[in-house]
């Protein structure tokens, strides 16, 4: 039988979930920072970072719950998902390694 009574939940399960959540990396990062290699990010919305390499936009990182979603592209509306990670630096590095195609000149 299905029940919605919260008292039916195991206290051990609640403690296990809380402990697991404590082990996750922080969801908040410096709003405006650099890694020292020409990669720079800045907070542009409550849960979105813009990632730049040598002052050129290469993508965005959305914070979605416990996941950082890396979106490659120079415009947010047209950016494409490249990676999901539990680590902010991994998401940023994936965008820095994939600079946009500059075309033939």
């Amino acid at each position: 039988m299905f029940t919605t009574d919260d008292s039916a939940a195991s206290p051990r399960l609640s403690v296990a979930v809380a402990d697991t959540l404590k082990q996750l990396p922080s969801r908040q990062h410096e709003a405006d920072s650099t890694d020292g290699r020409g990669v720079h990010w800045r907070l542009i919305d409550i849960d979105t970072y813009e990632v730049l390499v040598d002052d050129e936009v290469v993508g965005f990182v959305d914070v979605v719950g416990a996941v950082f979603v890396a979106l490659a592209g120079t415009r947010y509306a047209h950016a494409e998902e490249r990676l999901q990670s539990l680590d902010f630096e991994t998401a940023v590095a994936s965008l820095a390694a994939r600079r946009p195609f500059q075309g033939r000149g």
Side-chain angles (χ1 to χ4, degrees):
M1 173 175 215
F2 180 74
T3 179
T4 58
D5 183 8
D6 289 337
S7 64
S10 166
R12 279 189 251 151
L13 178 60
S14 297
V15 171
V17 169
D19 288 343
T20 300
L21 290 175
K22 288 177 187 175
Q23 294 174 14
L24 289 172
S26 171
R27 303 290 100 206
Q28 295 178 331
H29 292 274
E30 294 179 29
D32 193 4
S33 193
T34 184
D35 74 348
R37 296 173 291 161
V39 179
H40 178 82
W41 60 87
R42 60 182 167 215
L43 188 64
I44 60 170
D45 199 355
I46 193 166
D47 58 359
T48 302
Y49 293 85
E50 181 178 58
V51 179
L52 302 96
V53 174
D54 299 328
D55 295 324
E56 293 181 31
V57 176
V58 295
F60 305 87
V61 175
D62 277 341
V63 182
V64 182
V67 178
F68 296 103
V69 180
L71 306 167
T74 57
R75 294 178 51 203
Y76 184 82
H78 297 281
E80 296 180 1
E81 184 175 326
R82 293 290 186 236
L83 174 90
Q84 293 184 9
S85 176
L86 293 176
D87 180 63
F88 180 78
E89 287 77 17
T90 299
V92 169
S94 75
L95 295 170
R98 300 175 186 224
R99 295 191 68 171
F101 176 68
Q102 300 296 320
R104 296 181 198 185

